[in-house]
Amino acid sequence: MNWSDLIQHFGYFAIFAGALFEGETVLMLGAYAVHQHLMNFWGLIAAAMLGGFIGDQFYYQLGLRYGQKLLNTRAELAEKFEKASQFIERYPILTILVMRFAWGFRTVLPIAVGIKGYPLWKYVLINLLACFIWAWLIVMLGVKITHTLHIFWRQTLPYHEEIYTIIAVIACIVLCRLFYLIWKRRKKTHQSNH
């Protein structure tokens, strides 16, 4: 079962679960559901915000309680922590505000903030705001993209045969160019061998 099936069957709970882990993909699918009037805009944001918030709190607590043990046993995590640690010390509030957008560091940053012992009540308040900003921006972007794509497809649908022809011509040109480059490279390699 994929995310779109989960959203269709489980609605806001699927968004909540997706925001715990994946995030943007499930929110984009949710934004499409909002555009199709299958979900409520603010309900989607609330479910995503709650999922993201609980996920971040889990990783913060993991860092606070077991962070040093994790750093001692996982070298790749310790390396990421060192990079994140310097930024966190200089800009703790900014780190918490942007960590939902830091792909590749999304789980490491809350753990690092927890390891650093950042005060829980400050973390909770700033993270609530960060999760709202993240959910609102991604959903707004998703709704705008969905709307734009619907307009684009509606306007180009009458010209689908011409579009297929143009795509086929471009594909042929690209393939011919690719074959020419391969042939040229082999010819050059063959000449250098003799």
Side-chain angles (χ1 to χ4, degrees), residues 27-28 31-32 35 137-147:
L27 274 183
M28 286 294 191
Y32 178 77
H35 185 266
L137 280 174
I138 300 299
V139 171
M140 283 297 293
L141 181 65
V143 169
K144 293 287 185 190
I145 289 172
T146 301
H147 181 71

Side-chain angles (χ1 to χ4, degrees), residues 168-184:
V169 168
I170 291 171
C172 286
I173 291 169
V174 168
L175 284 173
C176 287
R177 179 72 176 153
L178 183 64
F179 287 134
Y180 173 74
L181 290 172
I182 292 170
W183 174 78
K184 194 174 175 182

Side-chain angles (χ1 to χ4, degrees), residues 6 20 22 25 36 50 56 70-71 76 78 150 181 192:
L6 288 171
L20 280 171
E22 179 79 16
T25 304
Q36 297 300 308
L50 185 61
D56 290 347
L70 278 171
L71 292 178
E76 75 279 355
H150 273 268
L181 290 172
S192 65

Side-chain angles (χ1 to χ4, degrees), residues 4-188:
S4 57
D5 290 339
L6 288 171
I7 289 171
Q8 185 177 356
H9 289 91
F10 299 104
Y12 298 105
F13 182 74
I15 298 295
F16 167 80
L20 280 171
F21 306 105
E22 179 79 16
E24 286 76 18
T25 304
V26 73
L27 274 183
M28 286 294 191
L29 291 170
Y32 178 77
V34 167
H35 185 266
Q36 297 300 308
H37 304 289
L38 301 172
M39 294 184 103
N40 177 277
F41 178 82
W42 291 109
L44 175 63
I45 288 175
M49 184 179 158
L50 185 61
F53 178 76
I54 289 174
D56 290 347
Q57 295 306 309
F58 170 77
Y59 290 119
Y60 171 86
Q61 290 297 326
L62 190 68
L64 189 65
R65 295 167 194 255
Y66 308 107
Q68 279 310 128
K69 188 184 282 188
L70 278 171
L71 292 178
N72 294 339
T73 58
R74 298 186 63 192
E76 75 279 355
L77 192 62
E79 185 179 318
K80 285 185 178 182
F81 173 74
E82 283 306 315
K83 291 178 185 174
S85 182
Q86 297 165 5
F87 191 80
I88 293 167
E89 284 177 14
R90 283 192 212 127
Y91 313 104
I93 294 173
L94 182 63
T95 300
I96 298 167
L97 285 173
V98 300
M99 71 185 176
R100 297 253 7 121
F101 298 97
W103 299 282
F105 289 95
R106 189 174 287 166
T107 57
V108 174
L109 285 174
I111 291 171
V113 171
I115 291 171
K116 290 299 229 178
Y118 194 75
L120 178 62
W121 67 272
K122 284 185 180 180
Y123 179 75
V124 166
L125 292 175
I126 297 166
N127 194 32
L128 269 173
L129 177 63
C131 288
F132 172 76
I133 292 169
W134 169 76
W136 185 82
L137 280 174
I138 300 299
V139 171
M140 283 297 293
L141 181 65
V143 169
K144 293 287 185 190
I145 289 172
T146 301
H147 181 71
T148 303
L149 287 174
H150 273 268
I151 290 171
F152 173 76
W153 286 119
R154 195 176 325 125
Q155 290 176 349
T156 58
L157 198 58
Y159 307 104
H160 70 279
E161 289 179 14
E162 291 85 353
I163 292 170
Y164 294 149
T165 304
I166 292 168
I167 291 171
V169 168
I170 291 171
C172 286
I173 291 169
V174 168
L175 284 173
C176 287
R177 179 72 176 153
L178 183 64
F179 287 134
Y180 173 74
L181 290 172
I182 292 170
W183 174 78
K184 194 174 175 182
R185 178 174 279 164
R186 283 189 177 178
K187 185 177 175 185
K188 188 177 181 179

